[in-house]
Amino acid sequence: MMLRIRSRDGLERVTVDNPHITVAQLKSLIQSQLQIPFHNQTLSTNQNLLLAKTHDEISRFTDMSDPNTLLSSLNLSHGSIVFLYYDGERTVAGPPVNPSGSFGRKMTMDDLIAKQMRITRQENPHCELVSFDRDCANVFQHYVNETLVFAVKRGGFMYGTVSEVGKVEVDFIYEPPQQGTEENLLLLRDPDEEKLVEAIAVGLGMRKVGFIFTQTISQDKKDYTLSNREVLQAAELHAESGLKEWVTAVVKLEVNEDGNADVHFEAFQMSDMCIRLFKEGWFETEIGEDVDPKLSKMKKDVVVGVKDTREVDNDFFLVLVKIFDHQGPLSATFPIENRITPVTMKALKNHLDRAKSLPFVKRISDFHLLLLLARFLDLGSDVHALAECVHTQTPVPEGYQLLIESMANAAA
């Protein structure tokens, strides 16, 4: 049979004739196959042996200290891992390794995992909480619930602010051009439109803070929090943002105790390890139809617990974020971009007519309205100036007001 030996040099293999040999015989095999002297070896089934820094700490690992103990009594079988600490130096095949050999050597995680990546759960998110503007969250969920009836996926970018203590507030959701199916969400991103969105956000004192998407009714029957495709998409957008507080939000239908369906929001951060794996190209990005959606496939072995594997449960990559709500500075009554019904200037006229009693700055305090206007205004100055008026709630210069009203009236 084969045993895997993990030391500070990484993972190596030793061939064993049968599981009924003793610890002493295993040490002899390690000496002959790995060139580590018999008396320099300390063995254990406990991975913490590799974290020991002194002889006193090493001596506490006694499960394999008796040379006459049979391997079979330690539940060691083909493929099992034994942890090895040794004094001295050795030369191993492959990349040069120069361990210090000193028993007081301070081990780092990089030493322990050598050529491998260790996947652990991240307990705490970088963002304290995420708070949704009630109107913008409601407009998003109402569309996917009433119009799309959760039959196909829908997504959007969340914009708002991040406080010094990591509190994320979402004040509007921009929905890019996209195609949704039961299982997939393809974003057909438009760089020119996104430049307008960014210019408006800057004028409003906001920035892109996350990604929100829906899960369909058919997905609700599956046994996962996020599918492998959703993990890949969320990781890609998180990595692209460069924002450590970036939030990924999921909207889905959940059946309550009465048998009725409620719309449910959940928020996560993709873990630091997930983003690192994505940036370094560890994820298999081609996902076959027969692959279990609750597992993410890796291109190389990673360590989960004490097991080498290329399949990682998606939940390992998710860090739960608390959700709150608030009333933000913008309204959310103007038709939304890139939906089934195109937004026209007629919608601008209707909107302005409905809000006649309000100050003009209040009438245009809606991101989706500003995005429509931005298509006809100068990106460099006009868009930013209008958004800044909305941000500070100061009167809109008369020239802009006349221009906007004439654009609306032209559609009458």
Side-chain angles (χ1 to χ4, degrees), residues 2-3 47 51 53 93 174 199 204 216 238 244 266-267 274 281 306 350:
M2 179 274 291
L3 286 178
Q47 62 183 345
L51 294 169
K53 298 182 179 66
Y174 159 63
L204 292 171
T216 59
H238 186 147
K244 74 175 192 296
E266 286 183 344
C274 176
V306 294
N350 292 341

Side-chain angles (χ1 to χ4, degrees), residues 245-275:
E245 297 90 354
W246 180 269
V247 175
T248 298
V250 185
V251 185
K252 56 187 176 181
L253 272 186
E254 285 198 346
V255 179
N256 61 28
E257 293 171 358
D258 305 327
N260 297 318
D262 291 330
V263 178
H264 186 67
F265 280 69
E266 286 183 344
F268 304 95
Q269 282 204 287
M270 308 312 289
S271 69
D272 297 345
M273 178 58 73
C274 176
I275 301 307

Side-chain angles (χ1 to χ4, degrees), residues 19-177:
H20 303 297
I21 65 170
T22 63
V23 168
Q25 288 170 306
L26 175 59
K27 285 188 172 184
S28 296
L29 290 170
I30 290 173
Q31 177 172 292
S32 63
Q33 294 181 33
L34 302 183
Q35 289 73 54
I36 298 172
F38 186 103
H39 294 293
N40 289 7
Q41 300 174 30
T42 301
L43 301 178
S44 176
T45 56
N46 188 336
Q47 62 183 345
N48 290 324
L49 171 66
L50 299 184
L51 294 169
K53 298 182 179 66
T54 65
H55 277 306
D56 182 47
E57 289 178 5
I58 293 162
S59 67
R60 295 174 193 163
F61 294 87
T62 58
D63 58 323
M64 296 181 73
S65 60
D66 182 348
N68 298 314
T69 299
L70 292 173
L71 299 194
S72 54
S73 70
L74 297 167
N75 292 322
L76 293 174
S77 57
H78 180 71
S80 294
I81 295 182
V82 174
F83 297 90
L84 162 67
Y85 180 94
Y86 67 90
D87 286 328
E89 296 185 8
R90 64 188 279 243
T91 302
V92 296
V97 175
N98 299 303
S100 69
S102 141
F103 64 77
R105 179 185 184 206
K106 185 173 181 181
M107 301 292 286
T108 66
M109 281 304 292
D110 286 337
D111 291 325
L112 294 183
I113 62 175
K115 291 166 276 185
Q116 295 215 349
M117 191 74 80
R118 182 173 294 279
I119 310 293
T120 55
R121 290 186 190 276
Q122 181 178 322
E123 296 301 322
N124 298 311
H126 292 293
C127 71
E128 180 70 20
L129 59 89
V130 60
S131 181
F132 286 89
D133 171 78
R134 285 186 283 276
D135 293 336
C136 91
N138 187 53
V139 165
F140 183 77
Q141 70 86 17
H142 187 269
Y143 179 67
V144 298
N145 190 16
E146 300 294 327
T147 304
L148 303 181
V149 291
F150 282 97
V152 295
K153 294 171 74 67
R154 184 78 184 166
F157 290 108
M158 305 188 294
Y159 282 77
T161 56
V162 182
S163 75
E164 287 181 9
V165 294
K167 178 183 173 185
V168 175
E169 288 198 348
V170 177
D171 288 315
F172 72 82
I173 297 169
Y174 159 63
E175 298 177 24

Side-chain angles (χ1 to χ4, degrees), residues 17 34 57 59 140 188 213 249 254 256 311 316 356 375:
D17 291 335
L34 302 183
E57 289 178 5
S59 67
F140 183 77
L188 307 168
F213 66 92
E254 285 198 346
N256 61 28
E311 294 184 334
F316 270 99
K356 264 188 175 156
R375 301 181 200 282

Side-chain angles (χ1 to χ4, degrees), residues 292-304:
D292 187 342
K294 71 170 178 286
L295 299 174
S296 288
K297 279 193 173 292
M298 300 290 132
K299 292 178 181 173
K300 295 179 279 187
D301 278 0
V302 294
V303 183
V304 179

